[in-house]
Amino acid sequence: MAELTLTTFDWVPELPRGYVRDLRIRWALEEAGLPYRVENAAFSDRQPGHFSHQPFGQVPWLTDGDTSIFESGAILLHLGEKSDVLMPTDDKGRSETIAWLFAALNSVEAASLPWTIFQFHGLAGDTPGWKPLNDFLNARLKHMESVLADREWLAVSFSIADIAMADVLRLVDRFDGLAACPACRDYVTRATARPAFAKAHADQIAHFAAAD
Amino acid sequence: MAELTLTTFDWVPELPRGYVRDLRIRWALEEAGLPYRVENAAFSDRQPGHFSHQPFGQVPWLTDGDTSIFESGAILLHLGEKSDVLMPTDDKGRSETIAWLFAALNSVEAASLPWTIFQFHGLAGDTPGWKPLNDFLNARLKHMESVLADREWLAVSFSIADIAMADVLRLVDRFDGLAACPACRDYVTRATARPAFAKAHADQIAHFAAAD
């Protein structure tokens, strides 16, 4: 089997630690029991080679033999196709997993990301743009709450879609944005209680701490 | 071949016409020459059956025989796997296309969507939240400008990734957000000059106009 190498930053500030997106990939790799190495890209001085792997100068990217893949969603899908622990192999289960993977990143994260930007900048609450952004996120969460009230995981069984969705909701929960959504909060608790998450999270924290 | 049915709203207000996401799917279907029917879901009074196909009460969804798929990204990927006009069939081309499809929806649209919400609400310019959202979008556009200065399409040839990316950038362009990004603007012009886009766009406009 070709070697899997995950690249993340060599260092990040305190605030995003535990939330950098290599976590999604570490989590999937740990769930699947796939061996991998971790390499560094400079955070402070991003090199041309970085952009050839990740055109936005972000992390992570994954190399699998000669193939280099960017975007956490694309990497998760690639790993889902490698391991049936991460994605059902029947057509219906596969199709549902992929739809929910996109839902996590486009329907939910596109609403949660601006909301967290406002939180990070101390703009939540009384500022003019807060209401439409908060309403947008809460409309999406209301539907996620209905979905998650009825099921343990998004598709047939735990999958890459849950890694993406739980990681997206986890950042909302950091700012107490799930207070009115107990099923979403329970889902985050359930997902992050998995040993593979705990290992991935501890490894990311240790990785950045080692660079201080 | 199983019948393809695309469901969109029966009516939408004037403002989003030409930008409702069924356009991405119509465009792909027209590019691939795949026959399809269009069905309606009520815009004003969304039914339980609607949520069973699209859990957020949005559109579009596509049925392909017994399979029902939501999320424009997941539908595009499904169609890309059906037609080699929409996605290269070699591993490298396929992998690049999928990475760029996620990039369009997560790296770019997650930045452009809050920016367009501010535009729609007349909050662009002087409000406190505008600067971080505008900076976020422009950081992403700066990198897209470098990428698009060097190539005609995102992957080897025109693909589902270009349908998603061009549609995302087209909405930014509507509010003149690509003024400093001539390569992005040329890319939107190039993509929307394709006959399949023109047909898809005209069909969407006619579909909603028929309901007035």
Side-chain angles (χ1 to χ4, degrees):
Chain A
M1 189 157 51
E3 190 172 55
L4 296 170
T5 304
L6 172 65
T7 301
T8 186
F9 286 125
D10 55 355
W11 175 90
V12 298
E14 201 64 48
L15 195 69
R17 292 186 190 187
Y19 294 87
V20 179
R21 286 171 175 216
D22 66 77
L23 189 115
R24 297 173 183 178
I25 314 309
R26 291 177 186 268
W27 187 358
L29 290 162
E30 296 292 340
E31 292 278 356
L34 291 165
Y36 62 103
R37 291 190 308 127
V38 175
E39 286 200 353
N40 283 325
F43 175 80
S44 299
D45 181 20
R46 300 183 197 183
Q47 301 297 312
H50 185 149
F51 291 92
S52 74
H53 287 282
Q54 215 298 347
F56 300 98
Q58 300 297 314
V59 296
W61 70 85
L62 182 82
T63 57
D64 181 354
D66 290 339
T67 307
S68 180
I69 308 170
F70 69 104
E71 287 289 327
S72 60
I75 301 170
L76 287 174
L77 185 56
H78 180 80
L79 294 175
E81 283 171 351
K82 277 181 103 77
S83 165
D84 52 16
V85 168
L86 295 173
M87 183 156 73
T89 49
D90 65 292
D91 282 353
K92 184 169 168 8
R94 186 172 183 274
S95 170
E96 280 179 13
T97 303
I98 294 173
W100 278 113
L101 174 63
F102 278 101
L105 302 176
N106 197 242
S107 285
V108 183
E109 194 168 36
S112 66
L113 203 58
W115 187 92
T116 54
I117 289 175
F118 264 51
Q119 296 282 2
F120 277 124
H121 284 82
L123 294 165
D126 239 2
T127 59
W130 174 248
K131 189 175 169 356
L133 296 185
N134 193 43
D135 288 352
F136 182 32
L137 176 61
N138 282 299
R140 294 293 157 90
L141 291 179
K142 189 185 81 178
H143 296 303
M144 284 310 302
E145 186 67 10
S146 305
V147 168
L148 291 170
D150 282 341
R151 58 180 98 174
E152 187 178 15
W153 306 116
L154 294 170
V156 194
S157 54
F158 182 84
S159 73
I160 49 171
D162 296 299
I163 292 179
M165 186 69 82
D167 194 54
V168 167
L169 294 178
R170 195 168 67 90
L171 185 55
V172 177
D173 195 37
R174 181 180 183 172
F175 296 104
D176 207 25
L178 301 181
C181 304
C184 292
R185 224 174 28 200
D186 289 351
Y187 171 77
V188 170
T189 303
R190 193 156 67 237
T192 57
R194 295 175 73 87
F197 173 84
K199 171 80 163 70
H201 189 264
D203 285 355
Q204 178 178 105
I205 297 287
H207 177 87
F208 294 128
D212 279 336
Chain B
M1 188 157 51
E3 189 172 56
L4 296 170
T5 303
L6 172 65
T7 301
T8 187
F9 286 125
D10 56 354
W11 175 90
V12 298
E14 200 66 47
L15 195 68
R17 291 185 191 186
Y19 294 86
V20 178
R21 285 169 176 218
D22 67 76
L23 188 115
R24 296 174 183 179
I25 314 310
R26 291 177 186 269
W27 187 358
L29 290 162
E30 295 293 339
E31 291 279 355
L34 291 165
Y36 61 103
R37 291 189 308 128
V38 176
E39 286 200 353
N40 283 325
F43 175 81
S44 300
D45 181 21
R46 300 183 196 182
Q47 301 297 312
H50 185 149
F51 291 91
S52 74
H53 287 282
Q54 215 297 346
F56 301 98
Q58 299 297 313
V59 296
W61 69 84
L62 183 82
T63 57
D64 181 354
D66 290 339
T67 307
S68 180
I69 308 170
F70 69 104
E71 287 290 327
S72 60
I75 301 170
L76 287 174
L77 185 57
H78 179 81
L79 294 175
E81 284 172 350
K82 276 181 103 78
S83 164
D84 52 15
V85 168
L86 295 173
M87 182 156 74
T89 50
D90 65 294
D91 282 352
K92 185 169 165 15
R94 185 172 183 274
S95 170
E96 281 179 13
T97 302
I98 293 173
W100 279 112
L101 175 63
F102 279 101
L105 301 177
N106 197 243
S107 285
V108 183
E109 194 168 36
S112 67
L113 202 57
W115 186 92
T116 53
I117 288 175
F118 265 51
Q119 296 282 0
F120 277 124
H121 284 83
L123 293 165
D126 238 2
T127 60
W130 174 247
K131 189 176 170 353
L133 296 185
N134 194 43
D135 288 352
F136 182 34
L137 176 61
N138 283 299
R140 294 294 159 88
L141 291 178
K142 188 185 82 178
H143 295 303
M144 284 310 302
E145 186 67 11
S146 305
V147 167
L148 291 171
D150 282 341
R151 57 180 98 173
E152 187 178 14
W153 306 115
L154 293 170
V156 194
S157 54
F158 181 85
S159 73
I160 49 172
D162 296 298
I163 291 178
M165 186 69 82
D167 193 53
V168 166
L169 293 178
R170 194 168 68 89
L171 185 54
V172 177
D173 195 38
R174 180 179 182 172
F175 296 104
D176 206 24
L178 301 180
C181 305
C184 292
R185 225 173 28 200
D186 288 352
Y187 171 77
V188 170
T189 303
R190 193 156 67 237
T192 57
R194 296 176 71 89
F197 173 84
K199 171 81 162 68
H201 189 265
D203 284 355
Q204 178 177 105
I205 297 287
H207 176 87
F208 295 128
D212 279 335

